[in-house]
Amino acid sequence: MMHLKMYINGEWVDAASKKTREIVNPANGEIIALAAEGDVEDARHAIQVARQAFDSGVWSEQPPAERARYLFAIADKLEERAEEIGRLETLDNGKPLRETAFDVADAVACFRYYAGLVTKPDGQTYHVADPMQALVIREPVGVCGLIVPWNYPLLMGVWKIAPALAAGNTIVFKPSEITPVTTIKLFEIIDEVGIPKGVANMVLGAGATVGNELAESHLVDKISFTGGTVTGRSIMKAAAGNIKKISLELGGKSPNIVFADADFETAVDYALFAIFANQGQVCAAGSRLLLEDSIHDRFVERLVERAKNIRVGAGDDPSTEMGPLVSQAHMEKVLHYIELGKAEGARLMCGGNRITDNGREKGYYVEPTIFTDTTPSMKIVQEEIFGPVLAIQRFQDEADAIRIANDTVYGLAGGVFTQDGAKAMRVVKKLRAGITWINCYHPTYNEAPWGGYKQSGIGRGLGTFGFDEFTEVKQININLQVQPTGWFEN
């Protein structure tokens, strides 16, 4: 069994309270680790350390090329340990090995992207009235609190850590309390490459204690959070104390729109991938499938046929296509939504049950589930379930599809399937969402911004946009003729 500690000021430490938390393999319910259970005292210690490190300039004043050298070294070592870390991610989170392999590769690429970006030209100059020269530079924000969820433990951590460090900030990182294993391995690498003490810190523990302290602390200059919208609201309130900068990537109830002229099998295939990849535990999941009336019945028939054939099992089984949900509590939440859907009158086309046969009785498995005959007011249509549950909606024409797609408080993502390129662009431009796809669903890139409209969050991660989120903009005005203004006569 693994014994997991926190990383503060370059040292591996237990919680001040000596409390621990059991970390469970969702495939079989077995305890795989005991993790230090930090609280407010530990968070305050890490914040103080990060504050001192930032104010000392030990990292922020490093030349960009030197910071890049560290990030490249992290990427190389992460790549060397890719297979090991991928297996640990599967053990801790439950997702299939083929998915964790992609996650680790993306994490490596993310470090390399920001290592390269930080040495590229930036800033702006302005030709203003003589004798003045004006320019704009970007500087690190300061101490950044980074909080990530359990669905992509390593990758979403790297999405924040890489740009924050590249920009010259110090960090206090809080992984999800139920999936800390792979980010601890990442911090082992950070320690190994020799990043100065106090620059990168990690505190384990619950959001209500550690996360809340990061959001409230006046020593923290920025909070970057990925997770649920309810928690996002509480972080906004807590962050108001010192008006800290915030980045919030929150929930979604994203529409996947299929027109009658779409390539049929491609649309079916992506509809499955959109909702059942990572067991539906994806903020941008295509959890609402919008089908044009004329293809609805045929599409549903084919979709259900294929969904029933998805191989659900332990993530370390190479034949597994969909793994368990992350925890018993989350499984029960998903099953509750399925019961709500049936009670509200939606038609259950397949799935809807916990899987307990063939040795899966101790794991948190739920069948791929599809509902039709939904109405816009149903909870399974409006609320984020975060599981393998698809709600299908009908539409009549282009205008109807856009109206239904935007009938949500969220605005994270959306897809459009059609072979009419002009129609695809018209619809995508009308979607109130930050991440969109045409004739595909889910591909994402470190070079492109990630984030949403409406209650799906504030700010953007990844790309140059994600780097900018971890910087402050400073205007500098230079007088090229140093002499009195003559503004006052005497």
Side-chain angles (χ1 to χ4, degrees), residues 327-457:
S327 68
Q328 181 172 341
H330 187 61
M331 176 189 68
E332 290 172 354
K333 173 188 171 185
V334 171
L335 291 172
H336 174 67
Y337 268 108
I338 291 171
E339 292 305 310
L340 279 177
K342 292 189 287 188
E344 289 179 320
R347 183 182 178 189
L348 183 64
M349 299 300 296
C350 67
N353 302 299
R354 181 180 182 181
I355 304 173
T356 57
D357 61 350
N358 298 322
R360 292 174 288 186
E361 66 279 355
K362 293 182 179 180
Y364 313 128
Y365 301 95
V366 173
E367 294 173 325
T369 300
I370 298 174
F371 282 103
T372 60
D373 296 347
T374 64
T375 61
S377 63
M378 289 180 176
K379 292 184 184 298
I380 60 168
V381 173
Q382 291 297 332
E383 297 182 12
E384 185 177 43
I385 300 173
F386 222 64
V389 181
L390 179 64
I392 296 178
Q393 299 175 276
R394 290 176 178 262
F395 69 88
Q396 297 177 352
D397 54 26
E398 186 176 324
D400 196 34
I402 293 166
R403 178 188 61 78
I404 295 171
N406 289 330
D407 183 20
T408 171
V409 299
Y410 298 109
L412 186 56
V416 178
F417 285 80
T418 173
Q419 297 192 69
D420 182 336
K423 178 166 65 177
M425 283 300 298
R426 286 196 305 269
V427 174
V428 158
K429 290 179 72 173
K430 291 285 189 180
L431 291 183
R432 298 285 294 163
I435 308 156
T436 59
W437 297 277
I438 294 175
N439 291 325
C440 63
Y441 204 100
H442 274 326
T444 58
Y445 304 95
N446 291 306
E447 297 83 357
W450 182 272
Y453 293 18
K454 299 189 282 187
Q455 292 187 33
S456 286

Side-chain angles (χ1 to χ4, degrees), residues 296-317:
H296 177 276
D297 294 351
R298 176 184 169 221
F299 199 99
V300 169
E301 181 180 4
R302 178 63 173 146
L303 191 71
V304 168
E305 175 189 2
R306 290 197 58 188
K308 288 180 176 178
N309 290 325
I310 292 174
R311 295 189 295 273
V312 182
D316 59 1
D317 181 342

Side-chain angles (χ1 to χ4, degrees), residues 79-98:
E79 190 170 51
E80 289 170 7
R81 298 176 62 180
E83 184 176 354
E84 170 206 353
I85 291 174
R87 288 190 174 276
L88 287 172
E89 185 97 318
T90 291
L91 190 68
D92 194 13
N93 168 275
K95 66 176 69 177
L97 282 171
R98 64 178 183 177

Side-chain angles (χ1 to χ4, degrees), residues 129-395:
D130 289 337
M132 300 299 296
Q133 175 69 58
L135 60 144
V136 168
I137 63 171
R138 287 190 175 272
E139 296 180 335
V141 174
V143 177
C144 298
L146 313 177
I147 305 173
V148 299
W150 43 256
N151 58 329
Y152 288 88
L154 175 70
L155 183 57
M156 287 193 173
V158 172
W159 282 8
K160 299 182 188 299
I161 292 169
L165 292 180
N169 301 286
T170 59
I171 64 171
V172 179
F173 178 79
K174 193 199 91 66
S176 167
E177 57 269 31
I178 63 175
T179 55
V181 175
T182 51
T183 47
I184 287 173
K185 296 302 174 183
L186 173 62
F187 272 79
E188 288 178 0
I189 291 171
I190 289 172
D191 181 66
E192 186 178 346
V193 303
I195 283 181
K197 290 185 176 183
V199 170
N201 306 277
M202 178 184 59
V203 180
L204 307 178
T209 51
V210 175
N212 188 68
E213 183 62 25
L214 288 173
E216 284 190 341
S217 174
H218 287 209
L219 298 180
V220 175
D221 302 296
K222 176 182 173 65
I223 196 83
S224 179
F225 169 78
T226 298
T229 300
V230 172
T231 305
R233 287 195 188 95
S234 69
I235 286 176
M236 288 184 72
K237 293 175 183 176
N242 65 330
I243 321 294
K244 61 171 58 69
K245 290 169 68 76
I246 58 173
S247 298
L248 304 174
E249 198 265 279
L250 307 177
K253 195 70 178 178
S254 300
N256 185 18
I257 306 168
V258 181
F259 286 93
D261 62 354
D263 184 276
F264 187 84
E265 288 299 331
T266 297
V268 170
D269 191 67
Y270 272 106
L272 293 167
F273 186 57
I275 184 57
F276 298 129
N278 199 24
Q279 300 74 254
Q281 299 170 142
V282 184
C283 52
S287 52
R288 291 188 296 137
L289 177 62
L290 280 58
L291 299 176
E292 193 164 2
D293 277 333
S294 61
I295 61 166
H296 177 276
D297 294 351
R298 176 184 169 221
F299 199 99
V300 169
E301 181 180 4
R302 178 63 173 146
L303 191 71
V304 168
E305 175 189 2
R306 290 197 58 188
K308 288 180 176 178
N309 290 325
I310 292 174
R311 295 189 295 273
V312 182
D316 59 1
D317 181 342
S319 68
T320 291
E321 296 175 321
M322 195 179 94
L325 298 183
V326 74
S327 68
Q328 181 172 341
H330 187 61
M331 176 189 68
E332 290 172 354
K333 173 188 171 185
V334 171
L335 291 172
H336 174 67
Y337 268 108
I338 291 171
E339 292 305 310
L340 279 177
K342 292 189 287 188
E344 289 179 320
R347 183 182 178 189
L348 183 64
M349 299 300 296
C350 67
N353 302 299
R354 181 180 182 181
I355 304 173
T356 57
D357 61 350
N358 298 322
R360 292 174 288 186
E361 66 279 355
K362 293 182 179 180
Y364 313 128
Y365 301 95
V366 173
E367 294 173 325
T369 300
I370 298 174
F371 282 103
T372 60
D373 296 347
T374 64
T375 61
S377 63
M378 289 180 176
K379 292 184 184 298
I380 60 168
V381 173
Q382 291 297 332
E383 297 182 12
E384 185 177 43
I385 300 173
F386 222 64
V389 181
L390 179 64
I392 296 178
Q393 299 175 276
R394 290 176 178 262
F395 69 88

